[in-house]
Amino acid sequence: MSSGQNNVVVAMPPGKQPAWEATVRLNVEQASYAYHSRGNAAPVFTLAATSFTARQREIVTILGPNASGKSTLLKLIAGTLEPLSGRVELEGFETSRLSPRTRAQRIAMVHQESPLLFPTRASEYVLQGRHPHGRGLRFETGEDLKIAEEALAQVGATHLRDRWMHEVSGGEKQRVILARALAQQPILLLLDEPTLHLDIGAQVELLERLRHLASENRYTVVVVTHELSLAAEFADQVVLMHHGKCLRTGTPAEVYRRDLLEQVFEAPLDVEMGPEGRPRVHVRGARPPAES
Amino acid sequence: MNDPNKYYRQKLRVNVARAAALCAALVLFAAGNAAAQTTGEKEKPAPGAMVIVKDEAGRSVSIPQPVRRIVSLAPSITETLFALGAADRVVGVTDYCDYPLEAQKKEKVGGLVNPSLEAIVALRPDLVLVTTSINRIQTLDALDRLNVATYAADARGVEGVLRSIGRLAEVIGSASDGKALVAALQARLDELRRRLTGVTPSRVLFVVWQEPLISVGRDTFLADALRLAGAESIIHVKQDWPHISLEEVVRQQPEYLVFASAHAEEELAALVALKNAPGWRDLKAVQENRIVVVSDAINRPAPRLVDAIEELARQLHPAAFADAPRTGAAAPKGGAR
Amino acid sequence: MKQPLTLRRLLWTCAALLVVLFGAVLVALKVGAVPISMTDLAVDLGRVIFGRTAQMQSDYRLIIFDLRLPRIELAILVGAALSVSGAGFQALLRNPLADPYVLGVSSGAALGAIIALIAYPGIPLVTPLSAFLGATATIAAVYFLGRRKGQLDSTTLLLAGIIAASFLSALIIFLMTTLSGRDMRGMAFWLMGDLSTPLQESLRWVFRVGLVAGVGAIYTTAADLNLIATGEREAMHLGVEVTRVKLVVYVSASLLTGLAVSVSGAIGYVGLLVPHMMRFLFGSDYRILIPTSAIGGAIAVVIADTLARRVMAPTELPVGAILAIFGAPLFLYLLRRRFA
């Protein structure tokens, strides 16, 4: 399967204006990686050379089942792993070559939250997002406080400001974590399976917020997920991963082909075109259709 | 926002800050000054006669003369000082200096391992006496650095104890008393040796501690004391306080078991229980009641040591002393004070 | 704690704690085998400040300057070193129960001390040097054992430290059986923590410099430590050089512990409790936790040492015992408050 090329003109669904702008911000070019277990010559897991690009205000989803190489690809983008071959460039700079501080000023990562060691308030948590921009002991300036407040407001969590992190609900915590990422004032926002523990309402809310933020703040957003429906609805570009290989990149309409999806997800699936050119995925039951 | 209390709180904070800064400055200034002043300006002893002696640890000690105020940091030294008639010059003793009874009334300076340096210095001693076996080198070193004359005694063997007593007496300025005391003690030891010529030494086990079973090594001065009392320890190891197995003792079947205690009668009574103790009851010495308890003075390198040796000899070889009934000097059976 | 930490709040808090420390020092100077009244003390301090020490009663001069002040200074240095070290290890190992000794540094130092006692019984200077050597060797060994994929990993480090500590303790117990009664008692005091032996002047300077360097080094990572406490992965994505920070904290905290233990034995509870108390009072922000732990630790050990000197005077109790007696119930109380 060939992957999408940089300069291919993508057929636009009728009536939809491009949400993204022309300049390429994130350039992933033939990036690959291999994990070796200690001492062994053969790699335990390989990510084959992958390429795609992303622009401002674009939401890219890296889609695939577990162990397809999604997280590895995300780490390459974040610059925490150095690609074995190829490169990952953010606005012309290779992400793995940047110092952690410079990286953190441009790239914000939203993880599943680790357990906190000591009780922390949400406001303090969000303020930590200003760390890459400070020096020395980093006593927060008025400017920092303002940015943190704004970040909380943008995720609709201003009311959570004085609450303890260990006391808020899952969805609220997710919002605060997102706010911290926003406080970094990044240009690239990365999220690793952000919808994992959320109910469907919270999931939709999160992705709508992301779409809004991407547009408002001109972020480039890359979301790793295995949620087919959400990706279909919210992604501008989909990177489909399977066993460490990128099978296809493109708009959801292009990537969501029944044969491709069934191969990748190993489940009986049906694809139909929905409104606004976004595909809808249905699960076909195990029983054969009742036919008389 | 214009909270009147805030103004006062701010004022308070400012004053506290000023106070803190002032205190910090004072402390730093004082410390700096003090350091500058006292380095190299240690307490020099008052000018007067000084005698330089070499103590038994090989150190050179400058002792102011005459020696009027003495602090003893070991019970054996305290006993010796009292025996030399220097009791009135003893100004400080340890918590463990329990003999003679008058010693317990002296000013205390703390324990053996950790005496209070301050208490010692506060007593303004001319001389501090320590032993190498009981006191720590750190204490000695610290007193040295405070320019307090400290003399270390190191007695090896019973004869060594006598020599040490003699030297100690010289150091404190009681040479004649010392000579007399040592001569008397030596005479008693000689008499003891005379009485025990031709007498086969008894094979004994000296029990330092019952559980775990600890005895004495051959190089300890306790072993030496045993020999002078006409006994031979069945344990011949180099280690000073060997931990031995009861099995080995049963195999060797010593003639006597020897214990040392400050309360000999009670100890003896308690030891009756050994008849029922596993292992111990297999010892002929236990079955036949050949258990001797001597005064714990046998542990101390002090004049009473000779009393204890004599007492042990009497109990082990009564025949050799048939013609010498106990005088007032010797202790009754059990070796109490 | 609703407002974020400012430099002003930090300085005020430190100033307040310094005042408390000053008070504790005054009490410690006043109290002792020779009672010195407050007026005498004030007058003498005045004489000191104005350089007229020659006028002081010579008894007092000796007692205050050669005995009490050095001992108080030692208490301050040891208390500060252990508390900051404890706070550092709690962050490094991501474990609120970590104390300065959990990685085996004190066992290494104790082994060094006992070897000095056996091999060079006549030279007291060898003991702290040998103890420090033992501590440093243990630090290096545990570092190499505690790495995973070339980086310090909290769990592996903790395991390596515990194993090292048990192994070294076994060696120590074995060697202790060869000690004479006097040495064994001395060693027991050392193991419990003991400030009664005055430190040589040269070593005192080493300690002062070491304390400032160690605390300073850890303090430079204070902001990073706050982030590491929310997760190492997150901290890395926020620009923290996690590997470098962990190494700095490990080496500095271990050296601080090594210094403290070499001169005073293993004084317990300070490194564990003081950081928690300071967290309780002033919050978990490491930018304020480190300086307050240093001063708080100094206060705790000065007070405990004063009690150790006086409670059963003239017998001196080991300061570690006093801290344990007061520290354990305090710890229980804090534990319950935390989970209330």
Side-chain angles (χ1 to χ4, degrees), chain B residues 54-59 61 74 76-77 80 128-135 137 140 150-169 171 219-221 224 240 299-302 305, chain C residues 121-122 180 182:
Chain B
K54 216 174 172 77
D55 73 3
E56 292 179 342
R59 297 163 51 245
V61 189
S76 57
I77 291 182
T80 307
V128 175
L129 298 170
V130 300
T131 68
T132 56
S133 53
I134 296 236
N135 304 103
I137 188 82
L140 199 62
T150 313
Y151 176 95
D154 182 12
R156 304 282 168 106
V158 175
E159 303 278 337
V161 171
L162 291 173
R163 279 195 294 274
S164 187
I165 291 175
R167 223 175 283 133
L168 192 70
V171 165
D219 295 332
T220 55
F221 100 84
D224 197 34
D240 280 352
N299 278 328
R300 283 191 193 170
L305 174 63
Chain C
S180 73
R182 166 204 65 182

Short mmCIF file of all heavy atoms in Angstrom, two decimals, chain B residues 54-59 61 74 76-77 80 128-135 137 140 150-169 171 219-221 224 240 299-302 305, chain C residues 121-122 180 182:
data_model
loop_
_atom_site.label_atom_id
_atom_site.label_comp_id
_atom_site.label_asym_id
_atom_site.label_seq_id
_atom_site.Cartn_x
_atom_site.Cartn_y
_atom_site.Cartn_z
N LYS B 54 55.64 9.95 80.57
CA LYS B 54 55.14 9.13 79.48
C LYS B 54 54.11 8.19 80.08
O LYS B 54 54.40 7.46 81.02
CB LYS B 54 56.31 8.31 78.89
CG LYS B 54 56.20 8.15 77.40
CD LYS B 54 57.42 7.47 76.82
CE LYS B 54 57.21 7.15 75.36
NZ LYS B 54 57.34 8.32 74.51
N ASP B 55 52.90 8.21 79.52
CA ASP B 55 51.88 7.36 80.13
C ASP B 55 51.95 5.95 79.54
O ASP B 55 52.82 5.65 78.71
CB ASP B 55 50.48 7.97 79.98
CG ASP B 55 49.95 7.87 78.55
OD1 ASP B 55 50.62 7.29 77.67
OD2 ASP B 55 48.84 8.39 78.33
N GLU B 56 51.09 5.09 79.98
CA GLU B 56 51.20 3.69 79.58
C GLU B 56 50.68 3.42 78.18
O GLU B 56 50.71 2.30 77.71
CB GLU B 56 50.51 2.80 80.62
CG GLU B 56 51.27 2.84 81.93
CD GLU B 56 50.64 2.00 83.02
OE1 GLU B 56 49.44 1.66 82.89
OE2 GLU B 56 51.34 1.68 83.97
N ALA B 57 50.18 4.47 77.50
CA ALA B 57 49.84 4.30 76.09
C ALA B 57 50.93 4.89 75.22
O ALA B 57 50.76 5.03 74.01
CB ALA B 57 48.51 4.98 75.81
N GLY B 58 52.04 5.29 75.84
CA GLY B 58 53.15 5.83 75.09
C GLY B 58 53.06 7.31 74.80
O GLY B 58 53.84 7.86 74.04
N ARG B 59 52.09 8.00 75.40
CA ARG B 59 51.94 9.42 75.11
C ARG B 59 52.73 10.26 76.11
O ARG B 59 52.91 9.87 77.26
CB ARG B 59 50.45 9.81 75.22
CG ARG B 59 49.56 9.12 74.24
CD ARG B 59 48.09 9.21 74.66
NE ARG B 59 47.69 10.56 74.96
CZ ARG B 59 47.33 10.99 76.15
NH1 ARG B 59 47.31 10.17 77.18
NH2 ARG B 59 46.96 12.24 76.34
N VAL B 61 52.76 13.33 78.47
CA VAL B 61 51.75 14.16 79.12
C VAL B 61 52.43 15.19 80.02
O VAL B 61 53.31 14.85 80.81
CB VAL B 61 50.80 13.29 79.98
CG1 VAL B 61 49.64 14.12 80.47
CG2 VAL B 61 50.34 12.08 79.21
N ALA B 74 37.55 5.82 85.21
CA ALA B 74 37.40 4.36 85.24
C ALA B 74 37.23 3.91 86.68
O ALA B 74 37.91 4.41 87.57
CB ALA B 74 38.61 3.70 84.61
N SER B 76 38.21 1.25 88.18
CA SER B 76 39.43 0.68 88.76
C SER B 76 40.35 1.79 89.24
O SER B 76 40.97 1.69 90.30
CB SER B 76 40.14 -0.19 87.73
OG SER B 76 40.41 0.58 86.57
N ILE B 77 40.44 2.86 88.48
CA ILE B 77 41.30 3.96 88.89
C ILE B 77 40.76 4.64 90.15
O ILE B 77 41.53 5.01 91.05
CB ILE B 77 41.45 4.97 87.73
CG1 ILE B 77 42.26 4.32 86.63
CG2 ILE B 77 42.08 6.26 88.21
CD1 ILE B 77 42.52 5.21 85.44
N THR B 80 41.71 2.61 93.03
CA THR B 80 43.15 2.75 93.31
C THR B 80 43.44 4.07 94.00
O THR B 80 44.21 4.13 94.97
CB THR B 80 43.94 2.65 92.00
OG1 THR B 80 43.57 1.47 91.32
CG2 THR B 80 45.44 2.66 92.27
N VAL B 128 43.42 14.19 84.51
CA VAL B 128 42.33 13.25 84.26
C VAL B 128 42.96 11.89 84.01
O VAL B 128 43.93 11.77 83.26
CB VAL B 128 41.50 13.66 83.03
CG1 VAL B 128 40.44 12.61 82.71
CG2 VAL B 128 40.83 15.00 83.28
N LEU B 129 42.44 10.87 84.68
CA LEU B 129 43.01 9.53 84.54
C LEU B 129 42.06 8.62 83.78
O LEU B 129 40.88 8.55 84.10
CB LEU B 129 43.28 8.94 85.93
CG LEU B 129 44.30 9.73 86.76
CD1 LEU B 129 44.32 9.24 88.19
CD2 LEU B 129 45.68 9.62 86.14
N VAL B 130 42.59 7.95 82.77
CA VAL B 130 41.77 7.02 81.99
C VAL B 130 42.50 5.70 81.85
O VAL B 130 43.68 5.59 82.18
CB VAL B 130 41.48 7.57 80.56
CG1 VAL B 130 40.75 8.88 80.63
CG2 VAL B 130 42.76 7.71 79.78
N THR B 131 41.77 4.70 81.34
CA THR B 131 42.44 3.44 81.01
C THR B 131 42.25 3.17 79.53
O THR B 131 41.26 3.60 78.94
CB THR B 131 41.84 2.24 81.78
OG1 THR B 131 40.52 2.02 81.29
CG2 THR B 131 41.80 2.50 83.26
N THR B 132 43.17 2.44 78.96
CA THR B 132 43.04 2.13 77.54
C THR B 132 42.00 1.05 77.31
O THR B 132 41.50 0.90 76.21
CB THR B 132 44.36 1.62 76.95
OG1 THR B 132 44.78 0.51 77.72
CG2 THR B 132 45.41 2.70 76.99
N SER B 133 41.68 0.29 78.34
CA SER B 133 40.74 -0.80 78.11
C SER B 133 39.29 -0.36 78.24
O SER B 133 38.42 -0.92 77.59
CB SER B 133 41.00 -1.94 79.10
OG SER B 133 41.00 -1.40 80.42
N ILE B 134 39.01 0.63 79.06
CA ILE B 134 37.61 1.00 79.30
C ILE B 134 37.23 2.29 78.55
O ILE B 134 36.11 2.43 78.09
CB ILE B 134 37.37 1.22 80.81
CG1 ILE B 134 37.59 -0.06 81.54
CG2 ILE B 134 36.00 1.78 81.04
CD1 ILE B 134 36.46 -0.53 82.35
N ASN B 135 38.18 3.22 78.45
CA ASN B 135 37.82 4.50 77.86
C ASN B 135 38.19 4.55 76.39
O ASN B 135 39.06 3.84 75.93
CB ASN B 135 38.54 5.64 78.61
CG ASN B 135 38.21 5.61 80.08
OD1 ASN B 135 39.02 5.18 80.89
ND2 ASN B 135 37.01 6.04 80.40
N ILE B 137 39.45 6.20 72.79
CA ILE B 137 40.49 7.09 72.34
C ILE B 137 39.92 8.46 71.99
O ILE B 137 40.59 9.49 72.12
CB ILE B 137 41.25 6.47 71.15
CG1 ILE B 137 42.47 7.31 70.80
CG2 ILE B 137 40.37 6.35 69.95
CD1 ILE B 137 43.65 7.05 71.66
N LEU B 140 39.96 10.66 75.02
CA LEU B 140 41.33 11.06 75.28
C LEU B 140 41.76 12.18 74.34
O LEU B 140 42.30 13.21 74.75
CB LEU B 140 42.23 9.83 75.04
CG LEU B 140 43.61 9.87 75.65
CD1 LEU B 140 43.47 9.96 77.14
CD2 LEU B 140 44.37 8.62 75.28
N THR B 150 45.87 14.51 80.50
CA THR B 150 45.20 13.22 80.62
C THR B 150 46.22 12.10 80.58
O THR B 150 47.03 12.03 79.67
CB THR B 150 44.23 13.04 79.44
OG1 THR B 150 43.47 14.23 79.29
CG2 THR B 150 43.30 11.88 79.69
N TYR B 151 46.17 11.24 81.59
CA TYR B 151 47.12 10.15 81.70
C TYR B 151 46.39 8.84 81.51
O TYR B 151 45.37 8.59 82.16
CB TYR B 151 47.79 10.21 83.07
CG TYR B 151 48.73 9.06 83.35
CD1 TYR B 151 50.09 9.20 83.11
CD2 TYR B 151 48.27 7.86 83.88
CE1 TYR B 151 50.98 8.16 83.39
CE2 TYR B 151 49.14 6.83 84.15
CZ TYR B 151 50.49 6.97 83.91
OH TYR B 151 51.36 5.93 84.17
N ALA B 152 46.92 7.98 80.61
CA ALA B 152 46.25 6.71 80.34
C ALA B 152 47.02 5.57 80.99
O ALA B 152 48.22 5.44 80.81
CB ALA B 152 46.17 6.49 78.84
N ALA B 153 46.30 4.75 81.73
CA ALA B 153 46.89 3.56 82.33
C ALA B 153 46.53 2.36 81.48
O ALA B 153 45.45 2.30 80.91
CB ALA B 153 46.37 3.38 83.75
N ASP B 154 47.48 1.43 81.39
CA ASP B 154 47.21 0.24 80.57
C ASP B 154 47.83 -0.95 81.28
O ASP B 154 49.02 -1.21 81.16
CB ASP B 154 47.85 0.45 79.19
CG ASP B 154 47.56 -0.72 78.26
OD1 ASP B 154 46.71 -1.56 78.61
OD2 ASP B 154 48.19 -0.78 77.20
N ALA B 155 47.03 -1.65 82.03
CA ALA B 155 47.58 -2.74 82.84
C ALA B 155 47.47 -4.07 82.13
O ALA B 155 46.39 -4.47 81.72
CB ALA B 155 46.82 -2.80 84.17
N ARG B 156 48.60 -4.74 81.94
CA ARG B 156 48.57 -6.06 81.31
C ARG B 156 48.98 -7.09 82.34
O ARG B 156 50.08 -7.08 82.84
CB ARG B 156 49.57 -6.10 80.15
CG ARG B 156 49.35 -5.03 79.12
CD ARG B 156 48.19 -5.40 78.22
NE ARG B 156 47.79 -4.26 77.40
CZ ARG B 156 48.05 -4.13 76.12
NH1 ARG B 156 48.72 -5.08 75.50
NH2 ARG B 156 47.65 -3.07 75.47
N GLY B 157 48.08 -7.97 82.62
CA GLY B 157 48.43 -9.01 83.59
C GLY B 157 48.40 -8.47 85.01
O GLY B 157 48.43 -7.27 85.26
N VAL B 158 48.35 -9.39 85.93
CA VAL B 158 48.21 -9.00 87.34
C VAL B 158 49.45 -8.25 87.83
O VAL B 158 49.35 -7.23 88.51
CB VAL B 158 47.93 -10.25 88.21
CG1 VAL B 158 47.90 -9.88 89.67
CG2 VAL B 158 46.62 -10.89 87.78
N GLU B 159 50.62 -8.75 87.47
CA GLU B 159 51.84 -8.03 87.86
C GLU B 159 51.83 -6.64 87.24
O GLU B 159 52.24 -5.65 87.86
CB GLU B 159 53.08 -8.80 87.37
CG GLU B 159 53.17 -10.23 87.88
CD GLU B 159 53.75 -10.31 89.29
OE1 GLU B 159 54.46 -9.37 89.70
OE2 GLU B 159 53.46 -11.29 89.99
N GLY B 160 51.32 -6.58 86.03
CA GLY B 160 51.21 -5.30 85.35
C GLY B 160 50.31 -4.35 86.12
O GLY B 160 50.55 -3.14 86.18
N VAL B 161 49.26 -4.88 86.72
CA VAL B 161 48.36 -4.04 87.51
C VAL B 161 49.13 -3.41 88.66
O VAL B 161 49.01 -2.21 88.94
CB VAL B 161 47.18 -4.87 88.06
CG1 VAL B 161 46.37 -4.07 89.05
CG2 VAL B 161 46.29 -5.34 86.92
N LEU B 162 49.97 -4.19 89.28
CA LEU B 162 50.73 -3.64 90.42
C LEU B 162 51.68 -2.55 89.96
O LEU B 162 51.77 -1.48 90.56
CB LEU B 162 51.50 -4.77 91.11
CG LEU B 162 50.61 -5.79 91.84
CD1 LEU B 162 51.41 -6.95 92.35
CD2 LEU B 162 49.90 -5.11 92.98
N ARG B 163 52.34 -2.82 88.84
CA ARG B 163 53.27 -1.81 88.33
C ARG B 163 52.51 -0.54 87.97
O ARG B 163 52.92 0.58 88.24
CB ARG B 163 53.99 -2.32 87.08
CG ARG B 163 55.15 -3.24 87.38
CD ARG B 163 56.01 -3.40 86.12
NE ARG B 163 55.29 -4.08 85.05
CZ ARG B 163 55.22 -5.40 84.92
NH1 ARG B 163 55.83 -6.18 85.78
NH2 ARG B 163 54.55 -5.94 83.92
N SER B 164 51.34 -0.74 87.38
CA SER B 164 50.53 0.39 86.97
C SER B 164 50.11 1.22 88.17
O SER B 164 50.13 2.45 88.14
CB SER B 164 49.31 -0.13 86.21
OG SER B 164 48.59 0.90 85.67
N ILE B 165 49.75 0.52 89.25
CA ILE B 165 49.35 1.24 90.46
C ILE B 165 50.51 2.07 90.96
O ILE B 165 50.36 3.24 91.34
CB ILE B 165 48.87 0.25 91.54
CG1 ILE B 165 47.54 -0.39 91.10
CG2 ILE B 165 48.72 0.94 92.88
CD1 ILE B 165 47.05 -1.47 92.04
N GLY B 166 51.70 1.45 90.95
CA GLY B 166 52.88 2.16 91.43
C GLY B 166 53.13 3.42 90.60
O GLY B 166 53.37 4.51 91.13
N ARG B 167 53.03 3.28 89.30
CA ARG B 167 53.31 4.42 88.44
C ARG B 167 52.28 5.51 88.61
O ARG B 167 52.56 6.70 88.61
CB ARG B 167 53.36 3.96 86.98
CG ARG B 167 54.52 4.60 86.25
CD ARG B 167 54.67 4.10 84.85
NE ARG B 167 55.27 2.78 84.76
CZ ARG B 167 54.81 1.80 84.01
NH1 ARG B 167 53.74 1.97 83.28
NH2 ARG B 167 55.41 0.66 83.98
N LEU B 168 51.03 5.05 88.78
CA LEU B 168 49.96 6.02 88.97
C LEU B 168 50.22 6.85 90.23
O LEU B 168 50.02 8.06 90.26
CB LEU B 168 48.62 5.28 89.09
CG LEU B 168 47.38 6.15 89.00
CD1 LEU B 168 47.21 6.65 87.59
CD2 LEU B 168 46.15 5.38 89.44
N ALA B 169 50.66 6.14 91.25
CA ALA B 169 50.94 6.84 92.51
C ALA B 169 52.01 7.90 92.30
O ALA B 169 51.91 9.02 92.80
CB ALA B 169 51.38 5.83 93.56
N VAL B 171 52.69 9.46 89.57
CA VAL B 171 52.17 10.55 88.73
C VAL B 171 51.34 11.53 89.54
O VAL B 171 51.39 12.73 89.33
CB VAL B 171 51.33 9.95 87.57
CG1 VAL B 171 50.47 11.01 86.92
CG2 VAL B 171 52.24 9.31 86.55
N ASP B 219 44.94 -14.42 76.82
CA ASP B 219 45.75 -13.21 76.99
C ASP B 219 45.10 -12.16 77.87
O ASP B 219 45.67 -11.09 78.07
CB ASP B 219 46.04 -12.57 75.62
CG ASP B 219 46.91 -13.49 74.76
OD1 ASP B 219 47.68 -14.26 75.36
OD2 ASP B 219 46.77 -13.42 73.53
N THR B 220 43.91 -12.45 78.37
CA THR B 220 43.27 -11.46 79.22
C THR B 220 43.91 -11.47 80.59
O THR B 220 44.52 -12.45 81.01
CB THR B 220 41.78 -11.77 79.42
OG1 THR B 220 41.66 -13.10 79.92
CG2 THR B 220 41.03 -11.65 78.11
N PHE B 221 43.72 -10.37 81.29
CA PHE B 221 44.36 -10.37 82.59
C PHE B 221 43.53 -11.19 83.58
O PHE B 221 44.04 -11.64 84.61
CB PHE B 221 44.70 -8.93 83.01
CG PHE B 221 43.75 -8.31 83.97
CD1 PHE B 221 43.90 -8.54 85.33
CD2 PHE B 221 42.76 -7.47 83.54
CE1 PHE B 221 43.07 -7.94 86.22
CE2 PHE B 221 41.92 -6.87 84.45
CZ PHE B 221 42.08 -7.12 85.79
N ASP B 224 45.20 -14.41 83.62
CA ASP B 224 46.37 -14.29 84.47
C ASP B 224 45.99 -14.42 85.95
O ASP B 224 46.66 -15.11 86.73
CB ASP B 224 47.03 -12.92 84.20
CG ASP B 224 48.44 -12.87 84.70
OD1 ASP B 224 49.13 -13.92 84.64
OD2 ASP B 224 48.86 -11.80 85.17
N ASP B 240 39.79 -12.42 72.99
CA ASP B 240 39.66 -12.02 74.39
C ASP B 240 38.37 -12.50 75.05
O ASP B 240 38.37 -12.88 76.21
CB ASP B 240 39.72 -10.49 74.49
CG ASP B 240 41.15 -9.98 74.44
OD1 ASP B 240 42.07 -10.83 74.48
OD2 ASP B 240 41.34 -8.76 74.38
N ASN B 299 37.57 -8.53 88.08
CA ASN B 299 37.55 -7.91 86.76
C ASN B 299 38.33 -6.61 86.70
O ASN B 299 38.64 -6.13 85.62
CB ASN B 299 36.11 -7.55 86.37
CG ASN B 299 35.37 -8.73 85.82
OD1 ASN B 299 35.96 -9.58 85.19
ND2 ASN B 299 34.08 -8.78 86.07
N ARG B 300 38.56 -6.03 87.87
CA ARG B 300 39.11 -4.67 87.87
C ARG B 300 40.59 -4.67 88.19
O ARG B 300 41.01 -5.26 89.17
CB ARG B 300 38.42 -3.82 88.91
CG ARG B 300 37.07 -3.38 88.47
CD ARG B 300 36.53 -2.34 89.40
NE ARG B 300 35.11 -2.14 89.13
CZ ARG B 300 34.29 -1.45 89.88
NH1 ARG B 300 34.77 -0.88 90.98
NH2 ARG B 300 33.03 -1.33 89.56
N PRO B 301 41.37 -3.96 87.39
CA PRO B 301 42.80 -3.82 87.68
C PRO B 301 43.03 -2.83 88.81
O PRO B 301 43.56 -1.74 88.62
CB PRO B 301 43.37 -3.28 86.36
CG PRO B 301 42.24 -2.63 85.67
CD PRO B 301 40.99 -3.31 86.12
N ALA B 302 42.61 -3.22 90.02
CA ALA B 302 42.71 -2.34 91.18
C ALA B 302 43.18 -3.17 92.37
O ALA B 302 43.22 -4.40 92.27
CB ALA B 302 41.34 -1.73 91.46
N LEU B 305 41.73 -6.57 93.50
CA LEU B 305 41.97 -7.75 92.66
C LEU B 305 42.66 -8.84 93.45
O LEU B 305 42.34 -10.02 93.35
CB LEU B 305 42.85 -7.31 91.47
CG LEU B 305 43.37 -8.38 90.52
CD1 LEU B 305 42.21 -9.06 89.85
CD2 LEU B 305 44.27 -7.73 89.49
N PRO C 121 43.22 1.57 65.93
CA PRO C 121 42.53 1.98 67.15
C PRO C 121 43.12 3.19 67.82
O PRO C 121 42.46 3.88 68.56
CB PRO C 121 42.64 0.73 68.04
CG PRO C 121 43.78 -0.04 67.50
CD PRO C 121 43.89 0.25 66.06
N GLY C 122 44.40 3.48 67.54
CA GLY C 122 45.01 4.56 68.30
C GLY C 122 44.84 5.95 67.70
O GLY C 122 45.19 6.94 68.31
N SER C 180 36.18 -5.48 71.30
CA SER C 180 36.19 -5.60 72.76
C SER C 180 34.94 -4.92 73.31
O SER C 180 34.24 -4.22 72.60
CB SER C 180 37.42 -4.90 73.32
OG SER C 180 37.23 -3.50 73.20
N ARG C 182 34.56 -2.40 75.28
CA ARG C 182 34.58 -0.94 75.22
C ARG C 182 34.27 -0.48 73.80
O ARG C 182 33.47 0.42 73.57
CB ARG C 182 35.94 -0.44 75.64
CG ARG C 182 36.14 1.02 75.28
CD ARG C 182 37.57 1.38 75.16
NE ARG C 182 38.19 0.69 74.05
CZ ARG C 182 39.46 0.80 73.75
NH1 ARG C 182 40.24 1.53 74.51
NH2 ARG C 182 39.98 0.16 72.74
#
